[in-house]
Amino acid sequence: MAKRIQISQHGAPEVMQLVSFEPADPAPGEVQVENKAIGINYIDTYVRSGLYPASLPSGLGTEAAGIVTRVGPGVDALKPGDRVVYAQSSLGAYSEVHNVAVEKVALLPDAISFEQAAASFLKGLTVHYLLRQTYVVQPDEVFLFHAAAGGVGLIACQWAKALGAHLIGTVGSAEKATLAKNAGAWATINYREEDIAARVSELTHGKKLRVVYDSVGKDTWEASLDCLQRRGLMVSFGNSSGPVTGINLGILNQKGSLYVTRPSLNGYITTREALIQASNELFSLIASGAINVDVPQAQKFALADAQHAHQVLEGRGTQGSSLLIP
Ligand code: NDP
């Protein structure tokens, strides 16, 4: 028997329960991974709350790092004993053991610890496609990235610096502003106190921006559009404050013939080759020290404390990534 977090109904963090279960045999094309560190992602709160669909009862979580213990029929890319990390698995990574399709799994270089991997894989692959594919950020380019002191955000600050680009990061406190600056943000805006578009205009001497990355959603949608130049690109990739709904497309005309995209990692990492290519870039930036993903001790939660971990994340009390340790 093994332990995992399960939900039988959607709702507040209290719906997450630690239960015992008998892990199934890995199916064809799957490996069984003994998780050593589990990545907590904001998307897990959408699945728990019911914003994103799941058939119940359900496990939770899609990212972890650990050791392959068994391989299913037809698997030759991985073997028992391999150190691996995975993201975008079927729901159920909040668990001591999880069966995962091989195309979601990458081998871990010796230089990367399980905790570093679980803290950075899904979030780092996200930053990779956002800055390298959705819009190709150029050296010296100034752009806006919301929630810059969050898990995805702190990686984006460091990746932008490695690219020689100038990231303006929004943050919810002075402490988070310092953190984002230290990670490489060129400037920060405390969006609880400052007018985002006015400050962006000031920082760019009225030129504004060609691209804005917005994971906050409802609360920042309109301000984000106001930060864009004519024909600029709005990348809306999350809902931390609630989803953006009921938009009249005419607003894109009024604000300057703007473009909008609503991307997700699933739309970019579609093969194991794409996964390996993007992970190699991410791992080499971590191994070289250009991207630091060390998790503060207070944000390493026991698997049994998943409820508390979600309360802190949704209460905007975290900085960078958080982990569950089985
Ligand atoms: P974060 O660590 O960034 O946590 C969310 C942060 O959002 C908070 O810390 C907070 O920072 C900010 N925030 C702003 N308004 C609110 C609000 N009303 N309630 C709660 N938080 C708020 O989470 P992740 O790094 O896991 O994910 C960041 C975002 O990226 C999420 O929206 C997630 O869904 C999205 N995402 C999208 C992907 C995709 O491919 N589309 C893939 C991965 C993540 P502050 O206090 O500074 O405001």
Side-chain angles (χ1 to χ4, degrees), residues 184-214:
W186 175 70
T188 57
I189 299 173
N190 182 338
Y191 47 16
R192 293 196 198 226
E193 294 171 355
E194 297 177 89
D195 180 320
I196 301 170
R199 186 78 185 110
V200 162
S201 198
E202 201 173 273
L203 286 164
T204 58
H205 308 290
K207 275 177 61 186
K208 303 207 267 186
L209 309 168
R210 293 184 65 191
V211 64
V212 169
Y213 296 97
D214 188 337

Side-chain angles (χ1 to χ4, degrees), residues 160-289:
K161 188 178 175 202
L163 292 171
H166 295 166
L167 179 149
I168 303 174
T170 59
V171 290
S173 70
E175 193 186 347
K176 289 187 180 186
T178 304
L179 199 70
K181 278 295 266 267
N182 290 344
W186 175 70
T188 57
I189 299 173
N190 182 338
Y191 47 16
R192 293 196 198 226
E193 294 171 355
E194 297 177 89
D195 180 320
I196 301 170
R199 186 78 185 110
V200 162
S201 198
E202 201 173 273
L203 286 164
T204 58
H205 308 290
K207 275 177 61 186
K208 303 207 267 186
L209 309 168
R210 293 184 65 191
V211 64
V212 169
Y213 296 97
D214 188 337
S215 65
V216 172
K218 181 171 65 69
D219 287 358
T220 46
W221 162 258
E222 189 138 355
S224 292
L225 298 183
D226 286 330
C227 293
L228 287 165
Q229 294 172 7
R230 207 171 286 282
R231 299 192 299 277
L233 176 64
M234 165 70 162
V235 183
S236 174
F237 73 100
N239 324 282
S240 305
S241 69
V244 178
T245 55
I247 299 305
N248 176 353
L249 281 181
I251 197 167
L252 303 178
N253 157 24
Q254 289 156 25
K255 300 218 181 256
S257 299
L258 303 177
Y259 294 87
V260 176
T261 181
R262 177 56 177 92
S264 76
L265 190 54
N266 283 325
Y268 285 82
I269 302 284
T270 54
T271 61
R272 184 147 195 262
E273 289 66 42
L275 181 80
I276 302 297
Q277 203 183 345
S279 353
N280 286 344
E281 252 187 90
L282 173 67
F283 293 152
S284 57
L285 283 164
I286 295 173
S288 75

Side-chain angles (χ1 to χ4, degrees), residues 27-325:
E30 283 186 346
V31 292
Q32 189 164 88
V33 180
E34 185 186 323
N35 292 336
K36 298 293 186 188
I38 300 161
I40 300 177
N41 290 286
Y42 214 90
I43 191 173
D44 306 336
T45 71
Y46 308 148
V47 176
R48 190 210 71 224
S49 71
L51 179 64
Y52 287 3
S55 52
L56 300 175
S58 174
L60 214 60
T62 60
E63 174 184 47
I67 296 173
V68 173
T69 47
R70 298 171 65 193
V71 302
V75 172
D76 46 22
L78 296 166
K79 59 181 187 321
D82 282 344
R83 299 172 72 248
V84 294
V85 61
Y86 60 87
Q88 304 172 283
S89 70
S90 57
L91 294 172
Y94 285 15
S95 178
E96 292 173 342
V97 172
H98 193 39
N99 291 348
V100 192
V102 170
E103 65 262 27
K104 309 294 184 190
V105 184
L107 275 169
L108 213 47
D110 292 343
I112 312 285
S113 70
F114 293 126
E115 291 192 1
Q116 286 174 313
S120 68
F121 200 51
L122 191 149
K123 298 172 186 78
L125 295 176
T126 299
V127 173
H128 175 269
Y129 86 74
L130 290 172
L131 304 191
R132 314 281 286 130
Q133 290 179 271
T134 306
Y135 177 95
V136 182
V137 171
Q138 302 295 329
D140 293 329
E141 177 140 27
V142 185
F143 66 100
L144 186 68
F145 204 103
H146 285 294
V152 172
L154 271 191
I155 295 175
C157 291
Q158 299 175 82
W159 208 313
K161 188 178 175 202
L163 292 171
H166 295 166
L167 179 149
I168 303 174
T170 59
V171 290
S173 70
E175 193 186 347
K176 289 187 180 186
T178 304
L179 199 70
K181 278 295 266 267
N182 290 344
W186 175 70
T188 57
I189 299 173
N190 182 338
Y191 47 16
R192 293 196 198 226
E193 294 171 355
E194 297 177 89
D195 180 320
I196 301 170
R199 186 78 185 110
V200 162
S201 198
E202 201 173 273
L203 286 164
T204 58
H205 308 290
K207 275 177 61 186
K208 303 207 267 186
L209 309 168
R210 293 184 65 191
V211 64
V212 169
Y213 296 97
D214 188 337
S215 65
V216 172
K218 181 171 65 69
D219 287 358
T220 46
W221 162 258
E222 189 138 355
S224 292
L225 298 183
D226 286 330
C227 293
L228 287 165
Q229 294 172 7
R230 207 171 286 282
R231 299 192 299 277
L233 176 64
M234 165 70 162
V235 183
S236 174
F237 73 100
N239 324 282
S240 305
S241 69
V244 178
T245 55
I247 299 305
N248 176 353
L249 281 181
I251 197 167
L252 303 178
N253 157 24
Q254 289 156 25
K255 300 218 181 256
S257 299
L258 303 177
Y259 294 87
V260 176
T261 181
R262 177 56 177 92
S264 76
L265 190 54
N266 283 325
Y268 285 82
I269 302 284
T270 54
T271 61
R272 184 147 195 262
E273 289 66 42
L275 181 80
I276 302 297
Q277 203 183 345
S279 353
N280 286 344
E281 252 187 90
L282 173 67
F283 293 152
S284 57
L285 283 164
I286 295 173
S288 75
I291 292 182
N292 175 351
V293 288
D294 291 348
V295 174
Q297 202 56 38
Q299 288 173 214
K300 294 178 192 172
F301 300 88
L303 182 60
D305 287 339
Q307 292 185 1
H308 182 48
H310 275 212
Q311 283 157 356
V312 180
L313 181 64
E314 293 178 287
R316 302 168 79 160
T318 58
Q319 304 178 342
S321 301
S322 304
L323 297 173
L324 292 172
I325 307 296

